[in-house]
Amino acid sequence: DQQVKQNSPSLSVQEGRISILNCDYTNSMFDYFLWYKKYPAEGPTFLISISSIKDKNEDGRFTVFLNKSAKHLSLHIVPSQPGDSAVYFCAASENQGAQKLVFGQGTRLTINP
Amino acid sequence: DAGITQSPRHKVTETGTPVTLRCHQTENHRYMYWYRQDPGHGLRLIHYSYGVKDTDKGEVSDGYSVSRSKTEDFLLTLESATSSQTSVYFCAIGTSNEQFFGPGTRLTVL
């Protein structure tokens, strides 16, 4: 049973526009969430995280929103740039830490010029 | 870079042979992890370690064992490789709030 789901395998966005990537989870014990970005033939790199005590966290062009009642989080990238083209994974964990992460399936984001 | 390397980067082996993948860190992080990445599944945790000789099973641990005799090294062993273990394997090291991933090992079991 997939506890973390990214239901969109791919997303295509025009350069300069907003990219919105979505993630849903089923385990109500999850209290810490992270987004990773992955280029081909490389390991995932950390982007941004959010604790369940918050509903929003920003870091430059990246903002993560958390809706605990809906068990849903989203990553907004504004403005989108060609270098943002990659696979994005959301991940979740318990105990307010980054141990034992459970990952979604990933969403391939393509930024078109 | 987080100072994490994996070896080998690519390996082709035959069914039934033993395989060991190595993860090496220079960051002195307490936590180390092994994941596998497969299409449609994202990354799934195989085993993890909270310190020297302190390891535990993850979500997909069957057919895998690990050892950590030194802080800097975390070994993943497939005792008898099967075709279902063809995958890309990632090691990660971590703090309490982040995990940093290595470049991955592509393993093909024929």
Side-chain angles (χ1 to χ4, degrees):
Chain A
D1 186 30
Q2 193 87 22
Q3 297 185 74
V4 178
K5 298 181 182 180
Q6 294 176 255
N7 292 316
S8 297
S10 63
L11 176 66
S12 185
V13 175
Q14 192 171 2
E15 182 179 359
R17 298 291 186 102
I18 183 171
S19 295
I20 300 176
L21 296 100
N22 294 303
C23 180
D24 296 296
Y25 62 96
T26 58
N27 186 346
S28 58
M29 298 299 292
F30 287 149
D31 55 15
Y32 193 75
F33 304 88
L34 307 89
W35 283 94
Y36 282 83
K37 173 180 179 179
K38 185 182 181 304
Y39 293 121
E42 296 183 9
T45 55
F46 171 77
L47 270 178
I48 192 169
S49 62
I50 187 168
S51 165
S52 59
I53 62 175
K54 297 184 177 180
D55 54 19
K56 178 182 175 181
N57 189 26
E58 288 182 81
D59 185 0
R61 297 186 298 113
F62 302 93
T63 302
V64 56
F65 295 91
L66 176 62
N67 182 333
K68 292 184 289 293
S69 61
K71 293 189 177 68
H72 176 84
L73 65 156
S74 61
L75 175 69
H76 293 211
I77 306 173
V78 182
S80 299
Q81 300 174 354
D84 296 329
S85 294
V87 177
Y88 289 78
F89 292 98
C90 67
S93 69
E94 303 178 19
N95 302 315
Q96 287 290 333
Q99 295 91 39
K100 294 186 69 175
L101 297 179
V102 179
F103 283 82
Q105 308 97 309
T107 295
R108 182 177 301 279
L109 175 64
T110 302
I111 306 301
N112 301 306
Chain B
D1 288 348
I4 177 170
T5 57
Q6 294 184 230
S7 59
R9 295 291 314 276
H10 301 271
K11 185 170 183 67
V12 179
T13 191
E14 293 186 352
T15 299
T17 60
V19 176
T20 295
L21 309 183
R22 180 185 184 229
C23 177
H24 178 78
Q25 63 153 325
T26 58
E27 304 297 316
N28 202 35
H29 282 312
R30 175 184 174 190
Y31 304 109
M32 297 187 77
Y33 309 84
W34 277 107
Y35 293 87
R36 59 179 288 175
Q37 185 194 5
D38 304 289
H41 291 279
L43 287 87
R44 292 180 291 176
L45 181 64
I46 305 171
H47 281 281
Y48 60 99
S49 170
Y50 285 0
V52 173
K53 297 184 180 180
D54 183 5
T55 65
D56 207 345
K57 296 178 180 180
E59 178 187 358
V60 289
S61 59
D62 287 348
Y64 302 95
S65 62
V66 291
S67 65
R68 191 170 179 196
S69 58
K70 298 185 291 185
T71 299
E72 58 266 34
D73 289 323
F74 192 32
L75 304 180
L76 176 70
T77 297
L78 292 65
E79 300 289 348
S80 177
T82 67
S83 58
S84 64
Q85 294 176 310
T86 292
S87 187
V88 180
Y89 291 85
F90 288 100
C91 176
I93 61 176
T95 66
S96 58
N97 295 319
E98 290 183 45
Q99 287 189 23
F100 305 95
F101 285 81
T105 294
R106 181 172 295 277
L107 175 67
T108 302
V109 184
L110 301 176

